[in-house]
Amino acid sequence: MTDNDSTISDAADAAEAASNTKALDVVARSGFAVMALLHIIVGAIAIALALGHPGQAEPTGAIEQLAANPWGPAIMWAGMVGCGGLSLWQLSEATLRARHLPRKERIGKLISSGFLAIAYGSVGLSFAGFAVGLRGDSGESTRDVSQALLSNPFGAVILSALGLTVIGVGIYFVLKGLRRGFKEELFHFDGTRRGKLIDSLGVTGHVAKGIALFLAGLLFAIAAAKHAPEESTGLDGSLKALRDHEYGPYLLFAIGAGFICYGIFALVRSKFGRM
C-alpha cells in the first residue's frame, strides 16, 4: 500500500469512527421515528381517501398536517434535523461501513442505502420548506419535473429509468417483507409473543409500501411511454387512481392500513433496531 493509499484509508477510518458517534445515532433514531409518524399519517389519509374524504396521501400531505398544529414550526425544524441525520447515517452505511464488505454486497449496499439517503434527505428538505413557509403540492411538483424531463431529447429515457427504479424499489420492499428481510434490522424481540406481532407488522407494512411504490413507479413509466407528464403524479396520484376501479377503494384501504403497520414497525425499530 502506498503512502497515499494509507492516508486515504486512515481518513476513511476516521470518518467511519465519526459516523459511529452517539450523537448521530440519537439523531438518526429520531429520524426513523419521524418517518414512522409520516407513514402512519399517510396511511390514515389513504384510508380517508378510500372512504371518500379529501387529502394528500404522500409525505408532503402528512407534513402539512403536522405543520397545521400549534407546535408546527418546532416540529418542522425537528423533522428536518431528524431526517437530515438519518440521511447522513444512510450515506455512511452506503460508503464508509460498506467498504469492508465483499464487492457484490458492497454494490448492493451502495444502491439500497444510497437511495434511502436521497429519499430521507428529500423529506428533510420538505420539512425545511414548510418551516420557512414554502409549501406546495407534491403531485404538481412531480408533474412539473416530468414535463421538464420530457421536453428534453433524452427525457423520456430518464423518466422511464426513474419509473423502473421506483418499481424495482417497490418489488424490493415486497420481497423484503415476504422473506422477513427486516429481521436483521430488528431482532430485539426474537422468540417472544411480542416479536411475532412485530414480525406481522413488518411483513404487512413492507408489502403494502412496496405495492404503493410499484404503482407510483408505474405511473412514471406510463408518463414516459405516452409522453404525457400529467400521468406522472407520484404516490398520491397512484393511490387516488385506485378509486376509479371496482375494488380499488378496498385495496386503497388495505394499503392505508399497511402503511400504518409499517409506521408502527418503524417506530419500534427507531428504539430497538440495529444501527
Side-chain angles (χ1 to χ4, degrees), residues 1-273:
M1 180 181 292
T2 65
D3 290 341
N4 187 47
D5 290 338
S6 178
T7 301
I8 294 174
S9 180
D10 290 343
D13 288 338
E16 183 178 356
S19 71
N20 288 326
T21 60
K22 181 67 175 178
L24 182 58
D25 180 89
V26 171
V27 174
R29 287 185 185 276
S30 73
F32 273 121
V34 170
M35 294 303 300
L37 180 58
L38 292 182
H39 278 85
I40 291 172
I41 296 174
V42 169
I45 294 172
I47 290 174
L49 289 173
L51 297 175
H53 301 291
Q56 281 185 273
E58 39 79 41
T60 303
I63 294 171
E64 186 174 14
Q65 298 235 350
L66 290 173
N69 73 75
W71 293 92
I75 294 174
M76 295 301 99
W77 289 116
M80 182 200 72
V81 172
C83 290
L86 183 54
S87 176
L88 186 61
W89 180 80
Q90 288 287 358
L91 185 61
S92 69
E93 282 279 288
T95 54
L96 299 173
R97 294 184 180 89
R99 64 197 175 96
H100 304 297
L101 298 173
R103 186 172 183 274
K104 186 176 180 180
E105 293 181 32
R106 188 168 68 247
I107 293 174
K109 196 67 176 175
L110 178 64
I111 294 172
S112 60
S113 291
F115 180 87
L116 288 174
I118 294 171
Y120 294 142
S122 67
V123 175
L125 289 175
S126 294
F127 272 109
F130 273 84
V132 299
L134 299 176
R135 306 184 180 192
D137 185 296
S138 178
E140 290 182 4
S141 299
T142 304
R143 284 190 293 270
D144 290 343
V145 171
S146 299
Q147 186 167 8
L149 284 174
L150 291 175
S151 64
N152 292 297
F154 298 102
V157 175
I158 296 172
L159 193 59
S160 294
L162 177 60
L164 292 174
T165 300
V166 176
I167 287 173
V169 173
I171 294 172
Y172 165 79
F173 266 92
V174 171
L175 294 177
K176 183 178 181 179
L178 295 176
R179 295 174 177 173
R180 288 174 167 76
F182 52 81
K183 296 282 286 184
E184 64 183 33
E185 302 169 358
L186 181 60
F187 45 79
H188 184 83
F189 298 101
D190 274 2
T192 66
R193 187 176 300 177
R194 191 179 299 177
K196 292 179 180 178
L197 173 60
I198 293 170
D199 278 359
S200 298
L201 291 172
V203 172
T204 305
H206 279 81
V207 171
K209 182 172 180 177
I211 292 172
L213 288 173
F214 181 90
L215 293 173
L218 194 60
L219 288 185
F220 280 117
I222 291 173
K226 296 171 63 176
H227 212 81
E230 67 276 4
E231 297 281 354
S232 176
T233 53
L235 178 61
D236 179 62
S238 66
L239 293 179
K240 286 178 178 175
L242 288 175
R243 293 183 302 184
D244 299 332
H245 299 278
E246 184 178 359
Y247 297 103
Y250 300 103
L251 179 57
L252 181 55
F253 190 98
I255 290 175
F259 263 74
I260 293 174
C261 290
Y262 184 91
I264 297 171
F265 171 85
L267 199 58
V268 176
R269 193 236 187 277
S270 71
K271 173 65 176 176
F272 300 103

